[in-house]
Amino acid sequence: MKNDWNARTKLVHSGTRRSQYGEVSEAIFLTQGFVYDTAEDAEARFIETGEDEFIYARYGNPTVRMFEERIAALEGCEDAFATASGMAAVSAALTCGLKSGDHVVAAKALFGSCLYILEDVLARFGVEITLVDGTDLGAWKTALRPDTKLVFFESISNPTLELIDVHAVCDLAHKVGALVVVDNVFATPIFSNAFDLGADVVIYSTTKHIDGSGRCLGGVILGSRDFIRGTLEPYLKHTGGSMSPFNAWVMLKGMETLDLRCRAMADSALKIAKAVEGHEKLARAIYPHLSSHPQAELAQHQMTTGSTMLAIDLKGGQAAAFKFLNALEICTISNNLGDAKSIVTHPATTTHQRLPEEQKTDLGITPGLVRISVGLEDVDDLTRDILNALMAA
Ligand SMILES: *Cc1c(COP(=O)(O)O)cnc(C)c1O
């Protein structure tokens, strides 16, 4: 579509396809299949599918296509494929191009399901995995080998908000010819463009900020037309991880307000981080745009805000963390993020419960750690809620 539009315009208009009725709001094409006028037309479409032509919703659907084109325009990349969930996106992007004997290097601070795909699934099919401390460029350099085919990491890690220097790691990976796949969920498409920093493939769980109201699961894989249509599409259309048209419509509507929501949430997150920093009940407050963040300089350089997420570590450990969670009146206890509702999570006993103690310690997931996804509520109300709950802890 239009390449000279700025982000907010793309978020509202890119990818829109109108039916013969000229509807204003994007239509939901809740159809699995498509009809052909003649047998010859059906045959022709199976030989080559044109841009406005579809065969079966597992391969593509007009509503899903609108969403793919809108987010590809926003990211400034050639193409995108939307998936049923963020994990469908991660598993397809990692699996579609790898074969037995290939070597993968990944950051060890990963979403639990991403680790499962690497260590349980891919390893079972003979892919060799090396996990590194993603913040340590020396560790990446040592782990990368001439036969490394793929590099995978989250640009900001969950839940401790460590940053990976995307530009530097891409440079190192490209020297050995590896494909760099970045899970950019915590950075959002608004605060950091991983393609500009050198990534080859970018993934989002659209369940998070892109839906933004906690309704639907979804994911998307972005990259070159060659990768998306040549390598990924055959894999996904035959393995069946496509996004549903209804969910694509929810994501399209979420895109319209994505920039406004993410900026409002990040503004509040910074204010809250400043309000709680140095609090007597806290061992640390982690937010990438606080000067106390160990990678504050990289965060300033790599991201236009410090993201919508922050983490706090209560001195009193798990007991204090639970008291804090239970005393909150506005923030809800759950495990989604990027939602309009502020959400608090205790990673050690929920999302990261299954990790062995030593691995939790290694990843900084202490008993007092609480992850806060800052929502769209009034920031003064949120700050008061959090400070009151800290007093109760
Ligand atoms: C949530 C999340 C995923 C998985 O997405 P789903 O939509 O839940 O499948 C992957 N990576 C990161 C960083 C996430 O936050």
Side-chain angles (χ1 to χ4, degrees), residues 85-87 111 154 183 185-186 205 207-208 217-218 337:
S85 67
M87 284 322 303
F111 193 71
E154 290 168 19
D183 180 335
V185 168
F186 277 50
S205 160
T207 313
K208 313 292 166 56
L217 289 175
L337 60 98

Side-chain angles (χ1 to χ4, degrees), residues 41-57:
D41 285 350
E43 181 188 31
R45 203 171 297 181
F46 272 77
I47 293 168
E48 192 180 11
T49 311
E51 214 173 286
D52 287 320
E53 296 173 339
F54 298 91
I55 293 175
Y56 193 57

